[in-house]
Amino acid sequence: MDENILCEVVKFKKSSPIWIFHHTDHSSHPIASHWHQDIELNFLDGGEGWIDFYIDGRHEILKPGGVCLINSGEVHSVIPSLKGGGIMRL
């Protein structure tokens, strides 16, 4: 693995093994290549637009109502193109 790619460390609350973050079109921005030990599940909950995921060399497009699963250790980056709605990261 390229040693210049960042490892994201997710800190969970003691009461829950899950971290939920809701990005909206106002809070979403491109996310540089990174990886983490945790599994990441993304759900685009509506609105218009899409999200481009680049995962270990492949391109996935997440559209409203769609789900994108990123496995542990997969290097990925994100480029959102949202107008309304948002993405849930679990």
Side-chain angles (χ1 to χ4, degrees):
M1 183 177 304
D2 184 342
E3 53 193 55
N4 294 320
I5 296 176
L6 298 176
C7 175
E8 178 183 17
V9 177
V10 179
K11 296 193 179 194
F12 298 98
K13 293 181 180 179
K14 290 182 182 180
S15 61
S16 175
I18 238 175
W19 178 63
I20 300 174
F21 190 83
H22 186 229
H23 293 280
T24 66
D25 58 341
H26 301 291
S27 67
S28 293
H29 56 279
I31 299 172
S33 292
H34 68 284
W35 66 278
H36 34 77
Q37 293 180 345
D38 310 292
I39 293 172
E40 181 176 321
L41 179 65
N42 297 277
F43 172 70
L44 187 51
D45 65 3
E48 296 178 21
W50 64 91
I51 300 173
D52 290 299
F53 283 90
Y54 296 89
I55 307 163
D56 273 349
R58 70 182 191 277
H59 179 212
E60 301 283 338
I61 300 172
L62 182 60
K63 296 179 181 176
V67 173
C68 179
L69 179 68
I70 300 171
N71 207 350
S72 174
E74 288 188 312
V75 175
H76 56 285
S77 60
V78 182
I79 301 175
S81 298
L82 297 175
K83 296 176 186 166
I87 183 171
M88 299 290 292
R89 290 180 59 210
L90 306 173

